[in-house]
Amino acid sequence: MSYRILMTSIDLFLHFLWPVSCPVCGKLASVLCRSCSDELVRDNPLRCLVCGEDIPCHLHGHSYPSVSGAVHSGMARELVLSMKYHGVSGMGRIMGRSLGSAIAMPFPQNRIVPIPLHRGSTRRYNQSRWLAMGISDVWGVVLSDHLKWRTSEKQSELGAEARRSMPKNSILWRGPDLKGQSCTLVDDVRTTGTTLLRGAEALYEAGAENVLSITWSRSINANERGDLSWS
């Protein structure tokens, strides 16, 4: 039996036990091929989370660097939808590993922190935490899931202007002192950027020295539209 026939037989057997396939290439028994995920991600330039300018920006310096692996369209968008709404949580860890491999750390990291689910969410898992786990796998940095929402208001129920007006202290840090530490804040999609900004502010208030925000994708014309919410 040739190697190719053997591998095809193994894939068919695994697919019988675990009936899934890669949404990109169709490979059987795989929720997502790592190579397919890697092809969607780029090491894009750091942008200011507040104003979108290159880092360092003339208004906010190095305080709010952010980067997204892809534009929120096409297959990059479809993976987010599958991960979040179709129960394919393990896909997020693979996507996170792709982010961790593609994006260079701008400074040594101490913690990776996912944006939390809203209080009262009916979702069985936090997609941002799965992405954060994948980045943690690659970077070898501890995952700290200690951010909490102060408000129970879901961002998906708010318009763009309401999201931008999200009050300070909407997200709070409930973990250990972060004095002098560098943190990576992780979410799935950046829209207006306000959720990430409130998360970064909470980490700085807890003593963090640097906060980098990473998302799998960035909504097209996010600063103008803000009509999507994934937090």
Side-chain angles (χ1 to χ4, degrees):
M1 181 183 294
S2 71
Y3 176 77
R4 178 172 294 182
I5 294 175
L6 175 63
M7 294 307 296
T8 300
S9 299
I10 291 174
D11 285 346
L12 288 171
F13 176 71
L14 292 174
H15 185 66
F16 175 76
L17 296 176
W18 191 25
V20 295
S21 59
C22 174
V24 181
C25 71
K27 178 179 172 60
L28 300 180
S30 174
V31 293
L32 175 64
C33 295
R34 173 63 190 274
S35 57
C36 292
S37 178
D38 286 349
E39 288 181 1
L40 296 172
V41 177
R42 299 289 181 270
D43 183 13
N44 293 307
L46 292 178
R47 304 285 186 182
C48 179
L49 184 60
V50 182
C51 62
E53 298 294 328
D54 291 339
I55 291 291
C57 81
H58 66 288
L59 291 176
H60 308 100
H62 294 273
S63 296
Y64 296 100
S66 68
V67 63
S68 300
V71 173
H72 192 64
S73 64
M75 185 52 66
R77 177 179 180 274
E78 292 304 313
L79 294 185
V80 171
L81 295 177
S82 294
M83 172 181 62
K84 186 168 182 177
Y85 296 114
H86 299 163
V88 194
S89 56
M91 179 184 292
R93 194 162 193 165
I94 298 170
M95 294 159 65
R97 288 170 180 165
S98 295
L99 286 172
S101 297
I103 296 172
M105 290 187 289
F107 30 74
Q109 299 294 304
N110 299 102
R111 297 176 187 272
I112 295 176
V113 183
I115 288 290
L117 280 179
H118 282 275
R119 289 185 299 175
S121 173
T122 58
R123 193 169 298 115
R124 292 177 291 121
Y125 56 86
N126 180 2
Q127 71 281 354
S128 298
R129 192 177 195 279
W130 280 90
L131 288 168
M133 285 192 292
I135 297 173
S136 177
D137 291 340
V138 176
W139 287 4
V141 178
V142 65
L143 188 148
S144 293
D145 196 358
H146 298 300
L147 283 177
K148 305 297 179 185
W149 282 96
R150 187 174 185 176
T151 174
S152 59
E153 198 169 29
K154 295 182 180 180
Q155 294 299 288
S156 58
E157 298 172 354
L158 302 177
E161 290 306 316
R163 292 192 193 112
R164 294 189 185 96
S165 301
M166 184 191 303
K168 289 183 179 295
N169 298 320
S170 293
I171 301 178
L172 304 173
W173 175 254
R174 297 303 191 191
D177 183 20
L178 299 177
K179 184 176 181 180
Q181 297 188 29
S182 296
C183 301
T184 295
L185 187 61
V186 181
D187 205 358
D188 48 3
V189 181
R190 174 186 171 179
T191 52
T192 64
T194 310
T195 298
L196 289 164
L197 179 58
R198 296 294 177 253
E201 289 170 346
L203 297 179
Y204 277 127
E205 187 155 335
E209 184 174 335
N210 300 293
V211 179
L212 167 68
S213 296
I214 292 181
T215 62
W216 165 258
S217 58
R218 173 183 56 81
S219 177
I220 301 172
N221 299 323
N223 291 334
E224 291 76 28
R225 288 176 56 184
D227 56 352
L228 299 173
S229 178
W230 309 93
S231 302

